[in-house]
Amino acid sequence: MEASKNPQRPWLNLRTQLFVFLSLFCAADLFRQHQAFQTKAPEVFFTSYYHDESSQLPAAANDGICGILGSQSPMSLWSNHVENILRASQSPIDTNFALKDPTAQVLKIITPRLYNGLKSHPRDWQSLQNVVETTNRRLAYLKAKRDGHSIEEARPLRILVMGGSVTKGVGCKTSIKNYNGIECCWATRLETLLNGLVGDRVVDVHLAAVSATNSATGQVMLEYNLIPDEMREPDIIISAYSTNDMHIFTIKEAMSQNISLREKIFGMAQNFTRTALQQCTEEGNTPLLFWLDDYMGNEQYEILGTSEFIQGLQVLAGYYGFGLLSYADTVRDLVYGTTTERSFSPAGWYNKSPDMKKEIHSPYPMHIAVAYLFAYTFLELASTYCGLESWNVTTWENKVDYYNAAVPGLPDTRQSSQTLDTPPQPRPNGLPPHLDSHLKLDNISKLWKEARSMTCDADRPNRVRCPVGWISGFRPDHTTSDVMNYFQPYIQEPFEWEWRIQNKKAGWLPKSVTGATMTFKFPLEQEIHRLVLFYLKSYGEMWENSKAEIEIYLDEDIVDDNISQISLSGVHDKRASEIYSEEIILSRGASKTLRLSVRHTDGKLFKLMGFAICS
């Protein structure tokens, strides 16, 4: 494949442009949830864009992202190279590129709409700079490796994608064998696209998507660090819970609390946001946060009602300064113009019937479109950052009087007699106060300045850690044998439950109708003070009166001296299955052992989906 030249910049050949513009912001190239899910871009791309020994990157490529991007606009780079973007979109599983034409059609439709998708830019220049610098170090290492030089390896950028079944790829089906679910979802497609163009591992994208979870569950996963080890300390966090946050089970939960759906969504999203912005990268930096609005479901038939999520998130994005993308706004007019179309809206809306059915899972064109939306957004952010590189904006807002900062081309205002009347000062460190109806204009500045710093502190001694933590759904490749081998050292008799998959969701279920007991005894190496349980609530005859009783024993407590006892219900009146979490603050700590006993007390079924023992 011969690389064409750019007539306006003769030193910047097509291969180099593509190498950088899709690694510019390190939009992801390798999606690694587990070795079983590792993918490799088709060899044609490696040969054409990376392993061509007759071609060398120009010296300007050593300048990193900004040196190579130059003055080219993101859209011109994108639109001028759509042919190569299309080639790089080929999944390794789709060996004959059977989806080439449909993918090209999506690319044609989405490209002029990409600018509609970015609703709010991230405001934290320091986090953005950390991402760029991590990327540049990785690119420099890869170049040295290509040139035969031995230098210390620079790690790839880490992106963590969290969401529910839509994010996991449920409903993303094609005619290609073994090309469903995770292999078909937008996170994997984003990996394939960028890996095919870059030709090497610049970014690791980890998918932490668990079906039947929303941002409330995701917040607990982050707070207690319950994601697998290789997914921790991300540089970028992407929350894609919008569809489940808008699900009917959220609506009914809001009704039971006597609050509106918008209030419920706003509360969950704010809690997730504050927890995400307190995470740490490996170097102790605050990660960049993005929210994705992918909700094109019909849990609400009222058009205004479907906008509840994006309305609340736009307020939070402006307040906290995270990035907000909307796939829904990118294609909304196409869907509303013809609600029977089956490419960008859930195909199950009209399935063998003229009547609209409830459905939230989108087909594969949606996942292709979202991958393109993120790749283009990262490119646009890199361009904005590089355009302000000489301004040193990362040192302004928290460290100096930025109205007097030295900027090329502008006068030095530090000694000026004419100045702004009471100009703004650097904003306080940490997160702003919790946004609610009690926060007022006359107290927000005082509260923000008085608040404890709520940002990343890699050495913070009181950070919550969970020596034991497990949630079903993170490891879809795990067999029953894998799970039993993991828990075998902790199992105590009686143990009358079993690990099995029921209705596509794996968990611990009782072997008998009622009375079955299972007990775990965990040795402790640190003092713990809380227990978090994850369990399923469902509906129908099999879940009627579903209940389980939990007993917790600390250190050497005897049976008659249990420290805590609670009862959980596994049934609700919603026509959906949902994972709930229950946090138990223990009245005293334990440092030697914790024994957890679960007894099925009523109904035909109860399913324990996970638990965490935390300090």
Side-chain angles (χ1 to χ4, degrees), residues 387-393 396 401-414:
L388 289 171
E389 187 179 28
S390 64
W391 289 50
N392 296 318
V393 292
W396 287 14
D401 296 334
Y402 54 93
Y403 55 91
N404 279 328
V407 173
L410 293 179
D412 186 344
T413 59
R414 287 173 294 181

Side-chain angles (χ1 to χ4, degrees), residues 132-147:
V132 173
E133 290 178 346
T134 300
T135 303
N136 283 338
R137 288 194 294 269
R138 180 67 177 177
L139 290 174
Y141 162 74
L142 293 174
K143 184 180 187 303
K145 183 180 178 182
R146 290 196 310 275
D147 294 342

